Amino acid sequence: MNEVEFNIRLYLTGIMKAWTDRIDSTDQITPQRFILNAMTGLFNSLSSDEIEMIRFRYLKRLTLSEVASRYLLNERTVRNHTNPTVKQVKEIIKKATEQAQHAREVD
């Protein structure tokens, strides 16, 4: 399981929020809180169908073909609905990692 899939699974199952709340009880934005907040904004902007497609792909681990058949769509359409979200999750993780590295360098 790659980092993106791991974070999507953590977010969609609610584990990310529980862990973040447990780790981060301060007012500072930690990398975990940054990821949680950014992913919340991202997932709140998606349609219910897009979220469901992502659930099928990352929680149920269905292939693009299997998701497409459930929605009576072609694979390219499913990819067009899910790939932008996956790319944004990659960017969120990258920014959080960069912020954490920068914070370590400053300390």
Side-chain angles (χ1 to χ4, degrees):
M1 179 180 324
N2 66 36
E3 189 175 34
V4 172
E5 181 179 354
F6 179 71
N7 278 280
I8 290 172
R9 290 174 67 88
L10 284 178
Y11 183 82
L12 290 176
T13 59
I15 294 171
M16 181 181 283
K17 179 166 179 13
W19 281 357
T20 301
D21 290 346
R22 197 172 207 186
I23 292 168
D24 177 19
S25 60
T26 67
D27 290 335
Q28 276 189 310
I29 298 291
T30 61
Q32 295 86 358
R33 180 68 60 190
F34 174 83
I35 291 171
L36 176 65
N37 291 348
M39 287 185 69
T40 298
L42 172 60
F43 279 84
N44 285 345
S45 72
L46 301 176
S47 72
S48 58
D49 283 343
E50 290 169 327
I51 292 171
E52 192 63 23
M53 287 180 198
I54 291 169
R55 282 185 192 282
F56 284 142
R57 287 283 291 140
Y58 292 97
L59 291 181
K60 296 188 181 203
R61 293 187 150 162
L62 300 182
T63 65
L64 282 171
S65 177
E66 291 168 327
V67 175
S69 70
R70 286 182 182 238
Y71 279 89
L72 304 175
L73 300 170
N74 64 46
E75 288 181 38
R76 184 165 186 81
T77 303
V78 172
R79 190 178 297 115
N80 288 342
H81 282 282
T82 58
N83 278 4
T85 301
V86 172
K87 286 178 184 177
Q88 286 180 290
V89 170
K90 285 179 186 177
E91 278 301 309
I92 289 166
I93 294 167
K94 180 181 173 188
K95 286 179 186 175
T97 302
E98 289 170 355
Q99 287 177 353
Q101 288 172 346
H102 179 71
R104 276 187 238 121
E105 291 170 2
V106 171
D107 290 342

